[in-house]
């Protein structure tokens, strides 16, 4: 459990630490807002493409070695940012971190399903909460560390916890089978592409993750343009991610008693929609906005993965379905940070991006009604 949570803590700092210092990075490198958006879009896109390769990755490397190589790639990417602080270097490190995170995210859910049994939903909740906790810590520390040592060193420091996670994982997962036993997973994959339920899960996850990536990349610059200092905007993002963590913990605590996930999904989506409304209509209400967005995103992320696991009957099918949903979902979500950067370049405002997100969340409310208990792909 500790190895899984510590690994999860390392899956977002390379992205979350960027938002609070994004304007400084742009000024130092001369990048446009669209190019800066690519620093979040590229890793998210590669997370999606990597997830689609989960089955061959699991067969070739196994879960233990695949996750280990993913954590190593994250450490290398963070170190790369410290020694190659140019636009090209940042894009290269974004690609490496995307590959690393993709490997961990593609393999970990199947590992959890296989090793946790009936406790898999709760363990998945802790895993996703760990992901959000890592984002919270990175966002909170970004501006302070940048002030002390520069943004290059700030990014480079995140290599240390990734190495720690690698060492802990290699010890804790020692003795685990290289790959789950059973028939070849490749035979199951084509059916998912023709399965409407799988596409519904993919779309639901993609829109929800799009909200997360949009907030992660552009929430601090949005509030900096509304008069907050860089420190205040970074602390606002950190507070938002703390709310995400609390919401994720609440989901982990409640999920075993709620076999019907729809009421929890409806509450989370309503909170997210209200938070987006605050951004559009009353951006000066920073604290309510932070709480509503954080509670909504923090609950939707684990719930969307738990609902996906609910649709699988065994660990192998869980790994296949999770790879399909995360793969397509992350590809879909990767568009949002770049789109928002393009909007900001064109109009110096992000309102169109927030409005598009609100429409997506409204569509998710309609989708959530179809996630009845006992449904399978």
């Amino acid at each position: 459990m500790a190895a899984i949570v510590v690994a999860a803590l390392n899956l977002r700092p390379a992205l979350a630490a960027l938002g609070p210092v994004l304007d400084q990075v742009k000024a130092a490198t001369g990048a446009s807002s669209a190019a800066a958006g690519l620093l979040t879009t590229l890793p998210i896109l590669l997370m999606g493409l990597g997830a689609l390769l989960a089955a061959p990755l699991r067969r070739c490397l196994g879960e233990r070695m695949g996750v280990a190589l993913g954590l190593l790639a994250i450490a290398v990417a963070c170190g790369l940012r410290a020694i190659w602080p140019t636009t090209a270097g940042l894009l290269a490190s974004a690609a490496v971190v995307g590959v690393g995170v993709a490997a961990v995210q593609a393999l970990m859910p199947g590992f959890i399903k296989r090793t946790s049994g009936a406790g898999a939903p709760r363990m998945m909740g802790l895993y996703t909460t760990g992901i959000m906790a890592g984002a919270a810590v990175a966002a909170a520390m970004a501006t302070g560390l940048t002030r002390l040592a520069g943004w290059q060193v700030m990014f480079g420091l995140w290599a240390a916890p990734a190495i720690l996670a690698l060492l802990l994982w290699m010890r804790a997962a020692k003795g685990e089978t290289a790959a789950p036993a059973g028939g070849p997973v490749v035979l199951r994959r084509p059916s998912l592409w023709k399965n409407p339920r799988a596409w519904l899960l993919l779309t639901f996850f993609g829109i929800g993750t799009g909200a997360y990536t949009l907030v992660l990349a552009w929430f601090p610059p949005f509030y900096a343009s509304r008069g907050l200092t860089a420190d205040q905007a970074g602390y606002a993002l950190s507070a938002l991610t703390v709310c995400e963590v609390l919401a994720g913990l609440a989901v982990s605590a409640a999920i075993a008693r709620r076999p019907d996930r729809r009421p929890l999904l409806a509450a989370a989506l309503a909170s997210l929609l209200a938070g987006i409304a605050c951004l559009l209509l009353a951006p000066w209400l920073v604290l309510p906005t932070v709480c509503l967005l954080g509670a909504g995103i923090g609950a939707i992320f684990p719930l969307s993965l738990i609902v996906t696991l609910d649709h699988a009957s065994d660990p192998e099918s869980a790994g296949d379905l999770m790879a399909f949903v995360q793969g397509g979902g992350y590809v879909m979500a990767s568009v949002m940070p770049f789109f928002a950067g393009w909007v900001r370049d064109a109009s110096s405002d992000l309102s169109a991006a927030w409005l598009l997100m609100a429409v997506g969340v409204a569509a998710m409310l309609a989708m959530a009604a179809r996630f009845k208990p006992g449904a399978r792909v």
Side-chain angles (χ1 to χ4, degrees):
M1 185 181 294
I4 289 170
V5 172
V6 173
L9 288 170
N10 285 275
L11 299 184
R12 291 297 180 271
L15 281 71
L18 181 63
V21 299
L22 189 58
D23 286 336
Q24 295 179 54
V25 172
K26 284 176 56 186
T29 60
S32 66
S33 291
L38 275 176
L39 296 178
T40 301
T41 285
L42 186 57
I44 299 295
L45 175 62
L46 288 172
M47 286 179 206
L49 297 177
L52 293 174
L53 298 174
L57 184 65
R58 190 164 65 246
R59 289 197 305 274
C60 293
L61 297 175
E63 291 160 345
R64 180 173 182 262
M65 189 55 63
V67 170
L69 290 175
L71 292 169
L72 179 62
I74 293 170
V76 168
C78 293
L80 195 63
R81 288 184 170 181
I83 62 175
W84 193 7
T86 65
T87 301
L90 290 172
L91 288 171
S93 66
V96 175
V97 83
V99 170
V101 174
V104 178
Q105 290 185 163
L107 297 174
M108 193 67 83
F111 179 84
I112 290 172
K113 181 83 171 179
R114 183 167 58 84
T115 58
S116 300
R122 180 167 293 178
M123 191 64 240
M124 182 61 70
L126 290 174
Y127 165 69
T128 54
T129 300
I131 292 177
M132 293 181 289
V137 173
M141 297 177 65
T143 51
L145 288 175
T146 297
R147 192 183 306 109
L148 287 173
W151 58 265
Q152 302 96 322
V153 174
M154 181 273 293
F155 283 124
L157 288 174
W158 289 107
I163 292 171
L164 175 62
L166 171 61
L167 296 175
L168 182 59
W169 170 260
M170 290 301 289
R171 176 164 182 168
K174 189 175 182 180
E176 290 294 335
T177 53
V185 251
V186 71
L187 296 179
R188 286 195 176 99
R189 185 168 298 280
S191 64
L192 294 177
W193 293 91
K194 301 175 183 178
N195 190 306
R197 173 69 57 160
W199 279 101
L200 180 68
L201 291 165
L202 183 157
T203 305
F204 189 86
F205 179 79
I207 297 174
T209 305
Y212 175 70
T213 58
L214 179 61
V215 168
L216 197 65
W218 290 109
F219 187 83
F222 173 79
Y223 268 108
S225 71
R226 295 299 190 273
L228 296 188
T229 66
D231 280 355
Q232 290 171 334
Y235 292 144
L237 178 60
S238 179
L240 190 151
T241 50
V242 167
C243 291
E244 291 175 359
V245 171
L246 294 175
L249 288 172
V251 168
S252 298
I255 199 68
R257 302 189 301 271
R258 301 277 183 176
D260 188 347
R261 320 299 191 193
R262 290 175 294 176
L264 292 175
L265 284 169
L269 291 167
S271 178
L272 177 54
L273 197 57
I276 297 173
C278 283
L279 280 175
L280 286 168
L281 304 175
W284 60 88
L285 297 175
V286 181
L287 184 58
T289 302
V290 162
C291 293
L292 290 167
L293 287 175
I297 293 172
I300 289 166
F301 184 46
L303 281 170
S304 60
L305 293 179
I306 290 167
V307 166
T308 301
L309 277 182
D310 288 342
H311 281 74
S313 55
D314 59 79
E316 285 186 48
S317 61
D320 287 350
L321 180 60
M322 194 67 76
F324 179 80
V325 168
Q326 288 191 103
Y330 279 121
V331 169
M332 181 186 299
S334 69
V335 176
M336 285 307 300
F338 177 76
F339 172 74
W342 177 79
V343 166
R344 195 186 190 208
D345 279 335
S347 64
S348 300
D349 189 62
L350 290 166
S351 296
W354 301 127
L355 184 59
L356 178 62
M357 201 69 260
V359 173
V361 174
M364 289 177 73
L365 278 167
M367 295 180 210
R370 300 183 58 187
F371 296 143
K372 299 178 180 179
R376 293 288 185 270
V377 293

